[in-house]
Amino acid sequence: MTELPDPIQFAIPFFIVLVIAELIYARQTGKAKYEPRDSGASLIMGLGNTIAGIAFAAVGALWLGFISPFALFDFGWAWYVWIICFVLDDFVYYWSHRFAHTVRWFWADHVTHHSSQHYNLTTALRQPWFSILTVKFIWFGAWMILFGFPPAMIAFCGALNLIYQFWIHTEVIKRMPGFFEAIMNTPSHHRVHHATNPVYLDRNYAGVFIIWDRLFGTFQREMDEEPCRYGIVRNLGTYNPIRIAIHEWWGIVTDVASAKSIKHALAYVFAPPGWSPDGSRLTSKAIKKKAGVEKPVNSMDDVRPETISAE
Amino acid sequence: MTSLIIILVSAIAIATLIGLNMWLGGWTASRIETVQEAAARLQQDFLSFNSAGGIVSAEGKAALVIDKDSDRIGLVLAQGDIFVSRIVDADSIAQIDAADGVLDIRFRDFTFPRAVFDLANPDAAIEWRNRLTGNPND
């Protein structure tokens, strides 16, 4: 099998330089927020993710080896195949990411990335350690291989996708030019994705191209009158990376252990995050309904004012 | 070997970045000034929360607020430059002590392990301990 270099390894020095630049800019202008324990936790989560990736690489390789012979076509390595591969990989990323927010089993993994109340370049590196438990390389990693794209090409495009997503984790850039905001994922679009304001919950799942959100009805623009509040619905009171990495997995275990029926146990694992049999907790959908913002809105003026917030 | 080098270099870079962040500063410790401010934060986090009174710790690091409509008690904790909030009930508390005007609550939730309130008033600490454990007349 053809092997390509891992572009993320080459990108790490640039990540570090950009974090230092944003840190200094934050200090000079106050346009970004850095708190040492928070950024420390994010960076350690990133290192743990790298170690987990190395430790479990063999599992992914075994899976690749198993399914590759079943590919329908062999698209080869032509330049246009690269472009199609990159776009399709981003399309798969959109759906994988959407499921990561709407199925608790996947959310238990992805919640790590959203667990900071800060939004800076270190947040991009706050990544999960136990992604292997989701087995998402089976659910989402197989389609393009079975279609006929070379596995090394898919892995390379996936890495480029992740590198692209690094720079959008910033408050320093307000808006990009209009044409860019229309097609590409940007800091503004991704701030919305990380926000817990009801109107922003479960929006903008895009990786590189925001067009997927526009196509599938999940796009929400950032509104100046509704500043983003970052984090998760139930924010964490800890900076301990181990606790951050396992908290939702442990939540699933304790909920399933307390379930009164198999149906409830399955719902605790596969229903949207926040589901509970008696409705005592709220899913994103329930929160949005309560706040009167079930559909994407153009302006907060369109929303009943009494439902937004107490401020 | 390459992986080991990447991990070691990354670890050094992380330590350097944290040190740089500490040295540069640029963040302000969060502080709760009033019960109303804590109530507004709870309203924001839980969508419906109307204050019927509460208490803020002497150093502004924590606040307890009673919800007028449901008698729920909300807790807001200042942590670093942010705030974290929870609805507190007797089941969520692992241990609670009220001594010398200090209310010390340890929670079962390992992502929100502890809140300490210096209330500077022994009676108030005992009153809130009893309220939180569901024994207001103890």
Side-chain angles (χ1 to χ4, degrees):
Chain A
M1 191 166 64
T2 309
E3 284 198 22
L4 294 172
D6 180 2
I8 292 177
Q9 287 184 9
F10 295 98
I12 287 173
F14 296 99
F15 290 169
I16 294 168
V17 169
L18 285 171
V19 168
I20 292 171
E22 194 191 36
L23 241 172
I24 294 168
Y25 189 78
R27 183 70 185 97
Q28 298 291 322
T29 64
K31 285 186 179 173
K33 287 180 186 165
Y34 270 83
E35 200 271 340
R37 284 182 297 173
D38 176 83
S39 44
S42 294
L43 293 166
I44 291 167
M45 299 304 300
L47 179 61
N49 175 268
T50 304
I51 295 169
I54 293 165
F56 297 118
V59 180
L62 275 175
W63 171 246
L64 280 181
F66 173 71
I67 61 162
S68 291
F70 300 104
L72 289 174
F73 306 102
D74 179 4
F75 292 139
W77 294 83
W79 64 269
Y80 56 84
V81 177
W82 276 95
I83 294 171
I84 296 166
C85 181
F86 186 81
V87 175
L88 278 184
D89 176 70
D90 193 54
F91 174 73
V92 172
Y93 177 87
Y94 168 85
W95 283 104
S96 161
H97 193 191
R98 191 163 167 172
F99 277 103
H101 281 262
T102 49
V103 176
R104 195 184 179 194
W105 184 27
F106 296 131
W107 174 245
D109 180 57
H110 186 58
V111 65
T112 298
H113 177 61
H114 285 267
S115 62
S116 171
Q117 288 193 57
H118 292 78
Y119 190 77
N120 56 45
L121 291 175
T122 66
T123 313
L125 305 174
R126 183 179 279 233
Q127 294 293 339
W129 293 357
F130 302 111
S131 301
I132 189 80
L133 296 176
T134 64
V135 224
K136 63 183 177 188
F137 57 89
I138 293 179
W139 317 121
F140 299 107
W143 303 107
M144 291 179 64
I145 296 168
L146 289 174
F147 213 49
F149 290 94
M153 183 188 283
I154 299 166
F156 195 89
C157 289
L160 290 182
N161 193 311
L162 292 181
I163 291 169
Y164 178 86
Q165 290 187 49
F166 176 75
W167 77 279
I168 60 178
H169 290 85
T170 185
E171 290 187 289
V172 168
I173 299 168
K174 191 166 170 60
R175 299 273 196 283
M176 297 297 287
F179 74 93
F180 199 85
E181 292 280 340
I183 299 166
M184 306 298 286
N185 199 7
T186 63
S188 174
H189 298 329
H190 207 58
R191 282 195 290 271
V192 165
H193 178 68
H194 273 258
T196 59
N197 315 43
V199 69
Y200 293 151
L201 280 175
D202 282 2
R203 294 284 181 249
N204 299 4
Y205 297 113
V208 174
F209 301 113
I210 198 69
I211 51 171
W212 310 124
D213 285 289
R214 295 186 190 276
L215 270 174
F216 298 114
T218 50
F219 176 72
Q220 172 62 56
R221 74 175 188 88
E222 184 182 29
M223 295 173 284
D224 292 338
E225 68 269 29
E226 183 73 359
C228 294
R229 299 191 301 273
Y230 305 109
I232 49 180
V233 169
R234 189 179 158 87
N235 280 308
L236 304 184
T238 181
Y239 299 106
N240 182 323
I242 297 168
R243 292 180 184 192
I244 294 169
I246 66 167
H247 80 272
E248 191 66 20
W249 290 112
W250 183 246
I252 291 178
V253 170
T254 53
D255 283 340
V256 168
S258 69
K260 292 191 168 57
S261 68
I262 301 241
K263 189 180 163 191
H264 286 173
L266 287 171
Y268 274 130
V269 180
F270 298 110
W275 177 88
S276 59
D278 59 0
S280 57
R281 301 180 216 164
L282 294 178
T283 61
S284 291
K285 200 174 173 182
I287 292 168
K288 291 173 91 73
K289 188 175 180 184
K290 199 172 174 180
V293 288
E294 289 158 283
K295 302 276 183 206
V297 300
N298 282 318
S299 160
M300 289 311 280
D301 295 339
D302 301 339
V303 182
R304 285 172 286 140
E306 73 275 12
T307 61
I308 303 165
S309 76
E311 286 188 332
Chain B
M1 191 61 192
T2 312
S3 300
L4 195 63
I5 292 168
I6 289 170
I7 290 166
L8 282 174
V9 171
S10 298
I12 294 165
I14 288 168
T16 309
L17 287 172
I18 296 169
L20 185 65
N21 194 174
M22 291 169 81
W23 179 64
L24 283 173
W27 56 280
T28 312
S30 53
R31 187 181 160 83
I32 305 158
E33 301 290 347
T34 63
V35 170
Q36 286 70 30
E37 191 185 313
R41 192 153 292 278
L42 288 161
Q43 163 70 22
Q44 206 170 56
D45 288 351
F46 299 101
L47 294 182
S48 57
F49 202 97
N50 296 306
S51 170
I55 195 160
V56 178
S57 69
E59 72 285 18
K61 282 285 167 198
L64 286 164
V65 188
I66 301 168
D67 180 26
K68 198 184 327 186
D69 304 322
S70 66
D71 282 343
R72 293 178 302 172
I73 296 175
L75 186 157
V76 180
L77 198 65
Q79 183 180 277
D81 61 345
I82 53 153
F83 298 93
V84 186
S85 61
R86 288 287 187 275
I87 298 296
V88 184
D89 58 29
D91 291 341
S92 63
I93 296 170
Q95 189 185 327
I96 183 165
D97 296 309
D100 304 325
V102 176
L103 187 64
D104 186 351
I105 316 169
R106 288 166 196 273
F107 295 97
R108 295 186 199 285
D109 177 357
F110 69 83
T111 69
F112 195 90
R114 192 179 183 190
V116 179
F117 294 73
D118 183 357
L119 299 178
N121 178 344
D123 291 340
I126 291 166
E127 183 194 327
W128 277 98
R129 181 197 64 190
N130 294 343
R131 192 175 272 150
L132 287 165
T133 52
N135 304 306
N137 299 319
D138 281 4

